[in-house]
Amino acid sequence: MSVFMSAIGKLVRTTAFKLSFAYLLIFTIFAFVGLGYVAWNAQRLLTEQFVSTIEGEIDSLSNLYRFGGLRRLVTSVERRSRAPGALIYLVTTETGERVAGNVGALPPDVLGRTGQFETLYNRTDETETRPDVAIVRVYLLPGGFRLLVGRDIEERRRLRDIIQRAFGYSLLFIGVLGCLGGWFITRRVLKRVDDMTDITRHIMAGDLGGRLKVAGTGDELDRLAENLNAMLDRIGELMRGMQEVSDNIAHDLKTPLTRLRNKADEALRTARTPDELKTALEATIDESDNLIRIFNALLMIARLEAGSAREGLADFDAAEAVRGVAELYDALAEEAGVDLEVSVDDDLPVHGSRELLGQAMSNLLDNALKYGASSDAPSKTISVSAHRRDGEVRIAVADRGPGIPEAERGRVLERFVRLETARSRPGFGLGLSLAAAVARLHGGALRLEDNEPGLRVVLALPLKAVELPQPSLQTAA
């Protein structure tokens, strides 16, 4: 019993049950008002028909009295009183003595009233002492005689009883169906919510692969489940990224840390003069600077992927930023014997960070110089371009180096990934990862393409829509 009461209590406390009960209450009120309006109009129309019938009878009988006298009136009243389903008729003298009609008894003050009104009465042919109710009208005839014509309201009373029974059954039917429907809807919604709760408990317990069920109906619970699943997918990606970073730090930083330690140990064992100690310290400092650069790059990538770098975003011209970075690398390209070709459109507005875009461009140009200036490159040319294409600003850095195989282009965007052909050159495998993170922060993407030969890296950013000034209307003189 306690389990049943607990289940009922849980059901009653749900939002679905409360909403169902509120809808049921509102619908019941509307049904009550609607049925009441129908019943009131039916009674009114029936009463108007009664009154119209009484008025027609009084007009007819008064004309008979006017043209045929009392005898003809009495004859007509007696004949009409004996007809099946007859109205109520009564002809009396000025003192109230009955002359003709089918009314046996009336309250004493009825014959003195005017207009239509309801009154008690007894028919002459009835044996029951319980009086009936009728709508009547008293008409004063010439000569002091009074004519009473009325209509029993038993039909109206039966109609009212029928409407009341129908009203009661309808409300009962609505209540039962509403409760059953509310229980069914609440149980259905509660089951889906319970399923979501169970899955979230498993997820909180460590099962990050669990996902909420989607029924496929497209309702609000499906939309909620889809959004939560997308959020869980994103959380899973971030956690996998954190795990990869941890693994990469544990493996890829082990070598420079070991090298740093060995150099310090070698300096302690072999250095004999101040110059040798100074040289060992300088090598240690250089190795430390490399480690600091690695950690700075990792922290920058983590901030970009977490979205914490969005506070400093603003509108700027990507064309000026690309030209500025290209000018900085012009001297480095000349020293390396590389021709740097620049082609940039004017006015390329984007919303983002000029500094982060410059950092990404620097990484791409560093890679291009590293591989485009190699001895096995067929042409020592690096091209930098920025153009408008399909609502995007496409910034491209292309070289004529060995390039990257198509099967490896997705993998090299991960942290610390370096191909076998690049391990002989300095670097840590973070440049493309940082550029890809900058692209995602700006709502764009980083694509690696074949430059035939060489590599073409395209940084696609959404072009910011510029609101054109509205022309002012001047009134002609």
mmCIF file of all heavy atoms in Angstrom, residues 344-380:
data_model
loop_
_atom_site.group_PDB
_atom_site.id
_atom_site.type_symbol
_atom_site.label_atom_id
_atom_site.label_comp_id
_atom_site.label_asym_id
_atom_site.label_seq_id
_atom_site.Cartn_x
_atom_site.Cartn_y
_atom_site.Cartn_z
ATOM 1 N N VAL A 344 46.711 39.747 -51.979
ATOM 2 C CA VAL A 344 45.678 39.962 -50.955
ATOM 3 C C VAL A 344 44.646 40.956 -51.482
ATOM 4 O O VAL A 344 45.020 42.034 -51.964
ATOM 5 C CB VAL A 344 46.290 40.487 -49.640
ATOM 6 C CG1 VAL A 344 45.205 40.715 -48.596
ATOM 7 C CG2 VAL A 344 47.341 39.508 -49.114
ATOM 8 N N ASP A 345 43.362 40.591 -51.399
ATOM 9 C CA ASP A 345 42.286 41.528 -51.755
ATOM 10 C C ASP A 345 42.178 42.614 -50.694
ATOM 11 O O ASP A 345 42.605 42.436 -49.534
ATOM 12 C CB ASP A 345 40.952 40.798 -51.874
ATOM 13 C CG ASP A 345 40.913 39.872 -53.073
ATOM 14 O OD1 ASP A 345 41.782 40.014 -53.949
ATOM 15 O OD2 ASP A 345 40.007 39.006 -53.115
ATOM 16 N N ASP A 346 41.598 43.742 -51.092
ATOM 17 C CA ASP A 346 41.348 44.819 -50.139
ATOM 18 C C ASP A 346 40.045 44.578 -49.388
ATOM 19 O O ASP A 346 39.123 43.944 -49.908
ATOM 20 C CB ASP A 346 41.280 46.169 -50.876
ATOM 21 C CG ASP A 346 42.619 46.554 -51.480
ATOM 22 O OD1 ASP A 346 43.653 46.184 -50.896
ATOM 23 O OD2 ASP A 346 42.625 47.215 -52.541
ATOM 24 N N ASP A 347 40.003 45.106 -48.164
ATOM 25 C CA ASP A 347 38.772 45.137 -47.368
ATOM 26 C C ASP A 347 38.193 43.722 -47.180
ATOM 27 O O ASP A 347 37.252 43.311 -47.860
ATOM 28 C CB ASP A 347 37.733 46.052 -48.025
ATOM 29 C CG ASP A 347 36.545 46.305 -47.096
ATOM 30 O OD1 ASP A 347 36.695 46.097 -45.879
ATOM 31 O OD2 ASP A 347 35.479 46.712 -47.602
ATOM 32 N N LEU A 348 38.780 42.984 -46.222
ATOM 33 C CA LEU A 348 38.303 41.648 -45.869
ATOM 34 C C LEU A 348 37.897 41.649 -44.393
ATOM 35 O O LEU A 348 38.647 41.201 -43.520
ATOM 36 C CB LEU A 348 39.393 40.604 -46.121
ATOM 37 C CG LEU A 348 39.886 40.469 -47.560
ATOM 38 C CD1 LEU A 348 41.039 39.490 -47.637
ATOM 39 C CD2 LEU A 348 38.766 40.040 -48.493
ATOM 40 N N PRO A 349 36.700 42.159 -44.078
ATOM 41 C CA PRO A 349 36.300 42.274 -42.665
ATOM 42 C C PRO A 349 35.938 40.920 -42.066
ATOM 43 O O PRO A 349 35.193 40.136 -42.652
ATOM 44 C CB PRO A 349 35.084 43.203 -42.724
ATOM 45 C CG PRO A 349 34.510 42.984 -44.082
ATOM 46 C CD PRO A 349 35.675 42.694 -44.991
ATOM 47 N N VAL A 350 36.468 40.637 -40.882
ATOM 48 C CA VAL A 350 36.134 39.428 -40.126
ATOM 49 C C VAL A 350 35.971 39.820 -38.665
ATOM 50 O O VAL A 350 36.415 40.900 -38.240
ATOM 51 C CB VAL A 350 37.211 38.326 -40.264
ATOM 52 C CG1 VAL A 350 37.317 37.852 -41.699
ATOM 53 C CG2 VAL A 350 38.547 38.821 -39.757
ATOM 54 N N HIS A 351 35.318 38.944 -37.918
ATOM 55 C CA HIS A 351 35.144 39.147 -36.480
ATOM 56 C C HIS A 351 35.987 38.098 -35.758
ATOM 57 O O HIS A 351 35.760 36.899 -35.908
ATOM 58 C CB HIS A 351 33.678 39.003 -36.079
ATOM 59 C CG HIS A 351 33.435 39.246 -34.617
ATOM 60 N ND1 HIS A 351 33.424 40.507 -34.067
ATOM 61 C CD2 HIS A 351 33.214 38.379 -33.590
ATOM 62 C CE1 HIS A 351 33.195 40.409 -32.770
ATOM 63 N NE2 HIS A 351 33.072 39.128 -32.456
ATOM 64 N N GLY A 352 36.974 38.566 -34.999
ATOM 65 C CA GLY A 352 37.843 37.627 -34.315
ATOM 66 C C GLY A 352 38.982 38.347 -33.616
ATOM 67 O O GLY A 352 38.839 39.476 -33.140
ATOM 68 N N SER A 353 40.139 37.689 -33.586
ATOM 69 C CA SER A 353 41.320 38.224 -32.906
ATOM 70 C C SER A 353 42.437 38.401 -33.922
ATOM 71 O O SER A 353 42.876 37.427 -34.550
ATOM 72 C CB SER A 353 41.750 37.281 -31.778
ATOM 73 O OG SER A 353 43.000 37.667 -31.262
ATOM 74 N N ARG A 354 42.893 39.630 -34.093
ATOM 75 C CA ARG A 354 43.994 39.911 -35.011
ATOM 76 C C ARG A 354 45.271 39.200 -34.549
ATOM 77 O O ARG A 354 46.033 38.672 -35.373
ATOM 78 C CB ARG A 354 44.223 41.425 -35.093
ATOM 79 C CG ARG A 354 45.325 41.833 -36.063
ATOM 80 C CD ARG A 354 45.673 43.299 -35.867
ATOM 81 N NE ARG A 354 44.550 44.145 -36.216
ATOM 82 C CZ ARG A 354 44.367 44.664 -37.431
ATOM 83 N NH1 ARG A 354 45.231 44.417 -38.391
ATOM 84 N NH2 ARG A 354 43.333 45.426 -37.678
ATOM 85 N N GLU A 355 45.510 39.179 -33.222
ATOM 86 C CA GLU A 355 46.737 38.556 -32.704
ATOM 87 C C GLU A 355 46.741 37.046 -32.957
ATOM 88 O O GLU A 355 47.756 36.474 -33.370
ATOM 89 C CB GLU A 355 46.876 38.836 -31.201
ATOM 90 C CG GLU A 355 47.157 40.292 -30.849
ATOM 91 C CD GLU A 355 45.922 41.169 -30.980
ATOM 92 O OE1 GLU A 355 44.803 40.596 -31.080
ATOM 93 O OE2 GLU A 355 46.061 42.398 -31.008
ATOM 94 N N LEU A 356 45.589 36.376 -32.714
ATOM 95 C CA LEU A 356 45.542 34.937 -32.934
ATOM 96 C C LEU A 356 45.664 34.596 -34.416
ATOM 97 O O LEU A 356 46.313 33.599 -34.778
ATOM 98 C CB LEU A 356 44.241 34.366 -32.367
ATOM 99 C CG LEU A 356 44.113 34.400 -30.841
ATOM 100 C CD1 LEU A 356 42.745 33.878 -30.419
ATOM 101 C CD2 LEU A 356 45.210 33.591 -30.184
ATOM 102 N N LEU A 357 45.040 35.410 -35.278
ATOM 103 C CA LEU A 357 45.186 35.174 -36.710
ATOM 104 C C LEU A 357 46.642 35.354 -37.132
ATOM 105 O O LEU A 357 47.171 34.579 -37.942
ATOM 106 C CB LEU A 357 44.279 36.119 -37.500
ATOM 107 C CG LEU A 357 44.339 35.982 -39.027
ATOM 108 C CD1 LEU A 357 43.944 34.578 -39.451
ATOM 109 C CD2 LEU A 357 43.450 37.032 -39.702
ATOM 110 N N GLY A 358 47.309 36.357 -36.560
ATOM 111 C CA GLY A 358 48.729 36.547 -36.860
ATOM 112 C C GLY A 358 49.568 35.383 -36.389
ATOM 113 O O GLY A 358 50.510 34.955 -37.074
ATOM 114 N N GLN A 359 49.235 34.828 -35.202
ATOM 115 C CA GLN A 359 49.970 33.662 -34.698
ATOM 116 C C GLN A 359 49.789 32.466 -35.624
ATOM 117 O O GLN A 359 50.735 31.729 -35.924
ATOM 118 C CB GLN A 359 49.473 33.326 -33.293
ATOM 119 C CG GLN A 359 50.166 32.132 -32.655
ATOM 120 C CD GLN A 359 51.634 32.388 -32.388
ATOM 121 O OE1 GLN A 359 51.991 33.415 -31.820
ATOM 122 N NE2 GLN A 359 52.481 31.459 -32.817
ATOM 123 N N ALA A 360 48.519 32.245 -36.082
ATOM 124 C CA ALA A 360 48.274 31.132 -37.002
ATOM 125 C C ALA A 360 49.023 31.329 -38.314
ATOM 126 O O ALA A 360 49.625 30.373 -38.850
ATOM 127 C CB ALA A 360 46.774 31.000 -37.264
ATOM 128 N N MET A 361 49.027 32.552 -38.847
ATOM 129 C CA MET A 361 49.763 32.830 -40.081
ATOM 130 C C MET A 361 51.255 32.600 -39.889
ATOM 131 O O MET A 361 51.948 32.062 -40.772
ATOM 132 C CB MET A 361 49.491 34.262 -40.520
ATOM 133 C CG MET A 361 48.120 34.479 -41.128
ATOM 134 S SD MET A 361 47.951 33.648 -42.712
ATOM 135 C CE MET A 361 49.250 34.445 -43.641
ATOM 136 N N SER A 362 51.782 32.979 -38.732
ATOM 137 C CA SER A 362 53.206 32.773 -38.452
ATOM 138 C C SER A 362 53.543 31.286 -38.450
ATOM 139 O O SER A 362 54.574 30.866 -39.003
ATOM 140 C CB SER A 362 53.572 33.412 -37.115
ATOM 141 O OG SER A 362 53.372 34.811 -37.144
ATOM 142 N N ASN A 363 52.692 30.465 -37.838
ATOM 143 C CA ASN A 363 52.946 29.027 -37.825
ATOM 144 C C ASN A 363 52.932 28.444 -39.231
ATOM 145 O O ASN A 363 53.771 27.602 -39.584
ATOM 146 C CB ASN A 363 51.904 28.318 -36.965
ATOM 147 C CG ASN A 363 52.064 28.620 -35.489
ATOM 148 O OD1 ASN A 363 53.065 29.181 -35.059
ATOM 149 N ND2 ASN A 363 51.078 28.241 -34.703
ATOM 150 N N LEU A 364 51.967 28.893 -40.056
ATOM 151 C CA LEU A 364 51.886 28.373 -41.422
ATOM 152 C C LEU A 364 53.097 28.805 -42.248
ATOM 153 O O LEU A 364 53.641 28.009 -43.032
ATOM 154 C CB LEU A 364 50.587 28.857 -42.082
ATOM 155 C CG LEU A 364 49.268 28.394 -41.430
ATOM 156 C CD1 LEU A 364 48.069 28.918 -42.203
ATOM 157 C CD2 LEU A 364 49.207 26.875 -41.331
ATOM 158 N N LEU A 365 53.542 30.054 -42.076
ATOM 159 C CA LEU A 365 54.709 30.521 -42.824
ATOM 160 C C LEU A 365 55.985 29.844 -42.321
ATOM 161 O O LEU A 365 56.906 29.568 -43.113
ATOM 162 C CB LEU A 365 54.813 32.039 -42.721
ATOM 163 C CG LEU A 365 53.831 32.814 -43.601
ATOM 164 C CD1 LEU A 365 53.845 34.296 -43.256
ATOM 165 C CD2 LEU A 365 54.164 32.620 -45.076
ATOM 166 N N ASP A 366 56.074 29.577 -41.016
ATOM 167 C CA ASP A 366 57.235 28.848 -40.498
ATOM 168 C C ASP A 366 57.332 27.466 -41.148
ATOM 169 O O ASP A 366 58.417 27.033 -41.570
ATOM 170 C CB ASP A 366 57.119 28.698 -38.975
ATOM 171 C CG ASP A 366 57.511 29.981 -38.248
ATOM 172 O OD1 ASP A 366 58.249 30.784 -38.837
ATOM 173 O OD2 ASP A 366 57.058 30.159 -37.100
ATOM 174 N N ASN A 367 56.183 26.756 -41.219
ATOM 175 C CA ASN A 367 56.200 25.439 -41.860
ATOM 176 C C ASN A 367 56.557 25.537 -43.337
ATOM 177 O O ASN A 367 57.300 24.694 -43.871
ATOM 178 C CB ASN A 367 54.836 24.766 -41.705
ATOM 179 C CG ASN A 367 54.592 24.271 -40.292
ATOM 180 O OD1 ASN A 367 55.518 24.104 -39.515
ATOM 181 N ND2 ASN A 367 53.323 24.044 -39.955
ATOM 182 N N ALA A 368 55.978 26.557 -44.013
ATOM 183 C CA ALA A 368 56.274 26.712 -45.440
ATOM 184 C C ALA A 368 57.751 26.995 -45.673
ATOM 185 O O ALA A 368 58.369 26.453 -46.608
ATOM 186 C CB ALA A 368 55.410 27.825 -46.023
ATOM 187 N N LEU A 369 58.364 27.854 -44.839
ATOM 188 C CA LEU A 369 59.793 28.118 -44.983
ATOM 189 C C LEU A 369 60.625 26.881 -44.659
ATOM 190 O O LEU A 369 61.658 26.623 -45.288
ATOM 191 C CB LEU A 369 60.193 29.276 -44.067
ATOM 192 C CG LEU A 369 59.768 30.684 -44.503
ATOM 193 C CD1 LEU A 369 60.079 31.701 -43.423
ATOM 194 C CD2 LEU A 369 60.461 31.066 -45.808
ATOM 195 N N LYS A 370 60.169 26.103 -43.679
ATOM 196 C CA LYS A 370 60.932 24.933 -43.253
ATOM 197 C C LYS A 370 61.002 23.882 -44.366
ATOM 198 O O LYS A 370 62.048 23.264 -44.594
ATOM 199 C CB LYS A 370 60.288 24.348 -42.007
ATOM 200 C CG LYS A 370 61.098 23.227 -41.350
ATOM 201 C CD LYS A 370 60.325 22.641 -40.184
ATOM 202 C CE LYS A 370 59.937 23.695 -39.165
ATOM 203 N NZ LYS A 370 59.180 23.112 -38.031
ATOM 204 N N TYR A 371 59.846 23.687 -45.067
ATOM 205 C CA TYR A 371 59.806 22.646 -46.079
ATOM 206 C C TYR A 371 59.915 23.192 -47.500
ATOM 207 O O TYR A 371 60.386 22.501 -48.396
ATOM 208 C CB TYR A 371 58.524 21.828 -45.940
ATOM 209 C CG TYR A 371 58.389 21.189 -44.579
ATOM 210 C CD1 TYR A 371 57.521 21.704 -43.628
ATOM 211 C CD2 TYR A 371 59.157 20.078 -44.239
ATOM 212 C CE1 TYR A 371 57.406 21.120 -42.371
ATOM 213 C CE2 TYR A 371 59.057 19.499 -42.987
ATOM 214 C CZ TYR A 371 58.169 20.032 -42.053
ATOM 215 O OH TYR A 371 58.073 19.453 -40.814
ATOM 216 N N GLY A 372 59.466 24.424 -47.710
ATOM 217 C CA GLY A 372 59.551 25.005 -49.054
ATOM 218 C C GLY A 372 60.955 25.408 -49.433
ATOM 219 O O GLY A 372 61.268 25.543 -50.620
ATOM 220 N N ALA A 373 61.825 25.634 -48.444
ATOM 221 C CA ALA A 373 63.205 26.031 -48.733
ATOM 222 C C ALA A 373 64.157 24.856 -48.702
ATOM 223 O O ALA A 373 65.377 25.032 -48.753
ATOM 224 C CB ALA A 373 63.663 27.083 -47.721
ATOM 225 N N SER A 374 63.619 23.634 -48.602
ATOM 226 C CA SER A 374 64.503 22.463 -48.548
ATOM 227 C C SER A 374 65.161 22.236 -49.893
ATOM 228 O O SER A 374 64.684 22.684 -50.944
ATOM 229 C CB SER A 374 63.686 21.240 -48.127
ATOM 230 O OG SER A 374 62.666 20.990 -49.069
ATOM 231 N N SER A 375 66.242 21.485 -49.853
ATOM 232 C CA SER A 375 67.034 21.288 -51.067
ATOM 233 C C SER A 375 66.311 20.432 -52.098
ATOM 234 O O SER A 375 66.579 20.551 -53.298
ATOM 235 C CB SER A 375 68.378 20.637 -50.701
ATOM 236 O OG SER A 375 68.161 19.394 -50.038
ATOM 237 N N ASP A 376 65.388 19.578 -51.652
ATOM 238 C CA ASP A 376 64.682 18.709 -52.587
ATOM 239 C C ASP A 376 63.418 19.351 -53.150
ATOM 240 O O ASP A 376 62.677 18.710 -53.896
ATOM 241 C CB ASP A 376 64.324 17.378 -51.920
ATOM 242 C CG ASP A 376 63.537 17.587 -50.627
ATOM 243 O OD1 ASP A 376 63.446 18.746 -50.179
ATOM 244 O OD2 ASP A 376 63.027 16.588 -50.058
ATOM 245 N N ALA A 377 63.135 20.609 -52.785
ATOM 246 C CA ALA A 377 61.967 21.302 -53.325
ATOM 247 C C ALA A 377 62.215 21.689 -54.771
ATOM 248 O O ALA A 377 63.265 22.243 -55.104
ATOM 249 C CB ALA A 377 61.649 22.547 -52.497
ATOM 250 N N PRO A 378 61.276 21.429 -55.698
ATOM 251 C CA PRO A 378 61.491 21.771 -57.103
ATOM 252 C C PRO A 378 61.532 23.267 -57.356
ATOM 253 O O PRO A 378 62.147 23.720 -58.319
ATOM 254 C CB PRO A 378 60.301 21.114 -57.803
ATOM 255 C CG PRO A 378 59.242 21.010 -56.762
ATOM 256 C CD PRO A 378 59.970 20.776 -55.474
ATOM 257 N N SER A 379 60.848 24.040 -56.507
ATOM 258 C CA SER A 379 60.844 25.486 -56.681
ATOM 259 C C SER A 379 60.766 26.135 -55.315
ATOM 260 O O SER A 379 59.903 25.797 -54.513
ATOM 261 C CB SER A 379 59.630 25.910 -57.537
ATOM 262 O OG SER A 379 59.524 27.319 -57.574
ATOM 263 N N LYS A 380 61.681 27.048 -55.053
ATOM 264 C CA LYS A 380 61.709 27.716 -53.750
ATOM 265 C C LYS A 380 60.837 28.970 -53.806
ATOM 266 O O LYS A 380 61.321 30.105 -53.846
ATOM 267 C CB LYS A 380 63.141 28.056 -53.360
ATOM 268 C CG LYS A 380 64.002 26.825 -53.113
ATOM 269 C CD LYS A 380 65.371 27.191 -52.585
ATOM 270 C CE LYS A 380 66.189 25.949 -52.290
ATOM 271 N NZ LYS A 380 67.519 26.258 -51.710
#
